[in-house]
Amino acid sequence: MTDMTTPPSAPPRTSTHIKITAETVDFWYGDNHALRDVTLSMGKGKVTALIGPSGCGKSTFLRCLNRMNETIPGTRMTGTVRLDDRDIYNGFGDVSQLRTRVGMVFQKSNPFPKSIFDNVAYGLRVNGIKDRQIITHAVEDTLKKAFLWDEVKDKLSHSAYMLSGGQQQRLCIARALAVRPEVLLMDEPASALDPISTTKIEDLIAELKGSYTIIIVTHNMQQAGRVSDKTAFFYEGKMVEAGETTQIFTNPQEKRTEDYITGRFG
Amino acid sequence: MGNGTTVLATEQINQVLNNIGDRKKSQGIIPKSLTLLSVLLIAAILAVILGNIFLGGIGVISWEFISQSPAHGLEEGGIFPAIFGTVALVFLMVIAVVPIGVLTAIYLHEYTRPDSMITRAIRISINNLAGVPSIVFGLFGLGFFISFVGGFLDSVFVIADDRPYWGQPAIIWASLTLALLTLPVVIVSTEEALRAIPRELREASYALGATKLQTILRIIIPQALPGILTGGILAVSRGAGEVAPILFTGAAYYLPYLPTQLNHQFMELGYHVYILATQAPDIDKTKPILYGTVLTLLVLTFLLNFTAIFIRSRMRSRRVAD
């Protein structure tokens, strides 16, 4: 699967092992230049971790990948983001179509004030699936995929708010999986959870890897080391260094990366 | 010698510290008693008002009183037409004000940028609307709804004889005038409810491929419903007690029939109170009925409020617990 095997007739960027590429992405919140010339590719079926100190732009970058930043007024972006070689900002079609392919899990678990069942079914319903049987089947299937089924199967009609924090976050993951995305963006998904819940989330990421392309923002260096294949280090809006996670952690090329991962700042 | 001074200073400090507790305690009594006094004053005023109305009115209240029409120059009989008119008026007002107020709030909060010119202009208008004296609303209703809109309708749909059909005081115009008066209340409380919805919920919905409209209909409005209902409650409380806006737009001194059509005039409790207190042939003889009417108006307003509050709290607890 190296570039050598790519047929010469294929477009230059076509590559079977890259799912998302960002090229020269710049981003502004009003006058605040939050991302500067970020170029990064994220492997298909792999886990890519985005690390860096608070305010370095890693979450902003993540939110560029499903056009979530567009919902914030006064923001502006330049550059290109491609999903399977299709530019998601130009001529992609409806943004909701993109978001069913690129799912997202947020830092704070944010289940809807609805039942557990309706939370998982929401994405299917808003995308036009009405058949009760199909939805019921899909909800069960998805909850099993998120390893939540055994814990909630007897209380599907209960409010999602009755679940513990960790369960709520796994419900949010299940909710995102229900619309069968190809990519899962995770914005510090375990930062508000206790160690046991965090372990469960990490185990889940390990299970989902392969079937899904996962991009995870994390403050927790150990977590990045445990779950990711590739790591990108962000600092002051720039992508300083990216590479195999083991290489970044054992042999960083940049001084700032080394300083950050050894805990000298951040 | 230095040592002696230190000992002295320590003793002095200890003495002050020992006494300061008592001093602070006594200082605390003044603000507490002052604030308590004003609370008691308010409670006393309320007690006098309610007590007076209750004692004066309770003897008059009977099934006949609330189920019959006034009789003998308002000195006898009941106030049923006024109760009916009030409920019908408020009902029509709610039908008009809640959709318009909620849609306005949704537009302001969901579809415009908070700092844009248009949002600011609308917001200033709403604030000013809330500050307009209610008699001005009454005059506006007379000029706009009855003369302009009603007159226009009459000129388009000509009815056999020359009598105005729409261009006259009527319950529809009175309720629309009241709706204008209570519009700011509904808009403001709906907007507050919308503002309280966490950004994360909207984002979660967008992230699942929901459109803005789907997010508003499925997440935001259900979540804002208690707030919208609060707006409705406040509008009802405000509207049910207002007399000035309906003075020229539809309220009647006395009617032998109940308003069953939108262009009928109607009797109303607040207006009836005014009539009984100032316009009745023999004011002394109508006094007991006046007390009864005021008591009925109060009870009706409380009842409407409690119903709405009950529905709202049911809704809240269902959302959180189940």
Side-chain angles (χ1 to χ4, degrees):
Chain A
M1 296 284 263
T2 62
D3 286 341
M4 298 295 282
T5 60
T6 313
S9 60
R13 283 190 199 86
T14 299
S15 133
T16 47
H17 61 278
I18 294 298
K19 188 70 186 173
I20 299 190
T21 35
E23 281 162 38
T24 60
V25 170
D26 277 64
F27 190 86
W28 292 264
Y29 294 101
D31 295 331
N32 177 12
H33 197 166
L35 286 178
R36 294 163 194 266
D37 195 28
V38 174
T39 297
L40 184 65
S41 60
M42 285 142 276
K44 190 173 187 171
K46 301 282 187 211
V47 178
T48 305
L50 311 179
I51 62 169
S54 299
C56 68
K58 55 194 190 305
S59 286
T60 303
F61 178 73
L62 189 79
R63 293 164 59 94
C64 284
L65 304 181
N66 66 345
R67 292 173 59 175
M68 193 52 90
N69 284 327
E70 286 179 1
T71 63
I72 304 170
T75 58
R76 192 159 62 87
M77 193 196 107
T78 61
T80 325
V81 178
R82 290 174 209 279
L83 174 68
D84 286 337
D85 287 320
R86 275 186 69 193
D87 187 335
I88 65 167
Y89 281 87
N90 283 309
F92 191 87
D94 194 52
V95 68
S96 55
Q97 220 174 354
L98 168 74
R99 291 186 187 141
T100 58
R101 291 179 61 187
V102 182
M104 189 165 201
V105 176
F106 298 82
Q107 179 176 4
K108 222 174 94 192
S109 63
N110 53 357
F112 298 126
K114 296 173 182 287
S115 71
I116 293 168
F117 184 94
D118 287 342
N119 262 279
V120 184
Y122 184 83
L124 299 169
R125 288 181 177 142
V126 297
N127 287 293
I129 297 170
K130 294 193 180 78
D131 190 305
R132 176 105 200 141
Q133 246 183 330
I134 294 177
I135 291 177
T136 310
H137 192 77
V139 167
E140 178 177 341
D141 193 46
T142 312
L143 284 170
K144 279 178 179 161
K145 247 190 255 174
F147 299 105
L148 200 57
W149 177 250
D150 289 334
E151 293 162 61
V152 303
K153 64 182 174 200
D154 300 323
K155 41 185 177 181
L156 290 175
S157 62
H158 291 208
S159 165
Y161 289 170
M162 280 181 51
L163 298 174
S164 73
Q167 286 174 323
Q168 284 190 17
Q169 190 61 304
R170 279 184 289 144
L171 179 68
C172 291
I173 296 175
R175 184 175 67 182
L177 294 179
V179 293
R180 319 229 164 138
E182 299 148 39
V183 180
L184 201 54
L185 308 177
M186 303 179 112
D187 191 355
E188 299 187 43
S191 66
L193 301 180
D194 62 87
I196 291 171
S197 302
T198 303
T199 310
K200 285 189 178 168
I201 301 274
E202 288 180 11
D203 290 347
L204 182 55
I205 293 171
E207 286 291 331
L208 297 175
K209 173 169 126 175
S211 321
Y212 301 88
T213 301
I214 295 173
I215 298 138
I216 178 171
V217 165
T218 178
H219 262 299
N220 182 332
M221 225 70 63
Q222 286 79 22
Q223 188 172 65
R226 281 192 298 264
V227 302
S228 71
D229 304 297
K230 183 177 177 177
T231 297
F233 171 63
F234 281 69
Y235 185 62
E236 289 181 345
K238 295 197 191 82
M239 207 280 295
V240 175
E241 186 175 357
E244 296 290 319
T245 298
T246 43
Q247 178 252 311
I248 293 286
F249 277 83
T250 56
N251 186 22
Q253 303 299 304
E254 295 278 335
K255 177 94 173 51
R256 279 174 299 179
T257 316
E258 189 183 344
D259 287 350
Y260 181 69
I261 59 179
T262 53
R264 235 163 273 166
F265 77 95
Chain B
M1 182 181 136
N3 198 19
T5 327
T6 316
V7 171
L8 202 69
T10 313
E11 266 175 23
Q12 266 177 344
I13 289 171
N14 279 342
Q15 219 169 9
V16 173
L17 287 181
N18 283 338
N19 295 335
I20 204 159
D22 295 337
R23 263 224 328 275
K24 282 198 170 165
K25 216 176 188 175
S26 63
Q27 278 172 351
I29 289 171
I30 298 165
K32 190 180 175 187
S33 46
L34 259 179
T35 46
L36 181 66
L37 207 67
S38 55
V39 170
L40 287 177
L41 186 71
I42 290 169
I45 292 172
L46 189 68
V48 168
I49 293 176
L50 291 182
N52 183 20
I53 291 170
F54 184 78
L55 293 176
I58 193 71
V60 187
I61 303 281
S62 65
W63 174 243
E64 283 70 34
F65 184 71
I66 55 174
S67 67
Q68 286 181 1
S69 290
H72 291 110
L74 307 180
E75 285 163 25
E76 283 173 31
I79 53 164
F80 178 69
I83 297 175
F84 183 90
T86 305
V87 173
L89 176 77
V90 168
F91 181 71
L92 288 174
M93 178 202 78
V94 167
I95 289 179
V97 74
V98 169
I100 296 173
V102 169
L103 287 175
T104 308
I106 288 177
Y107 176 76
L108 282 179
H109 196 261
E110 306 293 328
Y111 286 99
T112 62
R113 286 177 58 175
D115 51 349
S116 72
M117 284 295 285
I118 182 152
T119 318
R120 261 190 271 171
I122 296 172
R123 230 177 277 275
I124 289 169
S125 311
I126 294 167
N127 287 339
N128 284 325
L129 203 62
V132 172
S134 53
I135 190 73
V136 178
F137 278 99
L139 286 170
F140 174 80
L142 177 66
F144 179 75
F145 288 125
I146 296 175
S147 301
F148 183 71
V149 180
F152 174 75
L153 287 175
D154 278 341
S155 70
V156 174
F157 308 104
V158 183
I159 291 166
D161 48 13
D162 269 351
R163 276 188 316 168
Y165 188 80
W166 292 112
Q168 58 169 0
I171 192 163
I172 174 90
W173 306 135
S175 56
L176 287 179
T177 308
L178 271 189
L180 276 185
L181 178 89
T182 51
L183 197 55
V185 178
V186 177
I187 295 174
V188 168
S189 51
T190 305
E191 257 205 292
E192 253 159 43
L194 294 176
R195 212 171 292 136
I197 298 172
R199 201 185 150 67
E200 293 93 57
L201 279 188
R202 300 161 201 273
E203 292 197 332
S205 177
Y206 292 143
L208 291 164
T211 60
K212 186 161 199 159
L213 183 64
Q214 284 173 325
T215 305
I216 289 175
L217 291 178
R218 289 166 185 255
I219 303 294
I220 291 173
I221 291 184
Q223 187 75 357
L225 219 48
I228 293 171
L229 225 70
T230 308
I233 296 168
L234 293 172
V236 166
S237 319
R238 178 91 202 274
E242 282 286 350
V243 176
I246 61 170
L247 208 56
F248 317 119
T249 52
Y253 178 95
Y254 173 76
L255 284 177
Y257 60 86
L258 294 175
T260 49
Q261 286 181 22
L262 291 178
N263 73 329
H264 282 172
Q265 281 189 271
F266 60 99
M267 293 177 70
E268 200 260 355
L269 284 170
Y271 186 62
H272 199 59
V273 168
Y274 165 72
I275 295 294
L276 289 169
T278 60
Q279 312 288 308
D282 187 343
I283 288 168
D284 278 335
K285 281 190 183 164
T286 55
K287 212 169 199 174
I289 294 184
L290 175 59
Y291 266 110
T293 309
V294 172
L295 184 59
T296 312
L297 178 58
L298 276 181
V299 170
L300 196 70
T301 314
F302 285 157
L303 229 57
L304 284 171
N305 275 336
F306 278 127
T307 315
I309 290 168
F310 178 70
I311 296 171
R312 184 180 60 176
S313 67
R314 277 275 306 267
M315 226 179 253
R316 262 191 194 149
S317 59
R318 204 183 58 205
R319 260 187 1 194
V320 175
D322 186 50

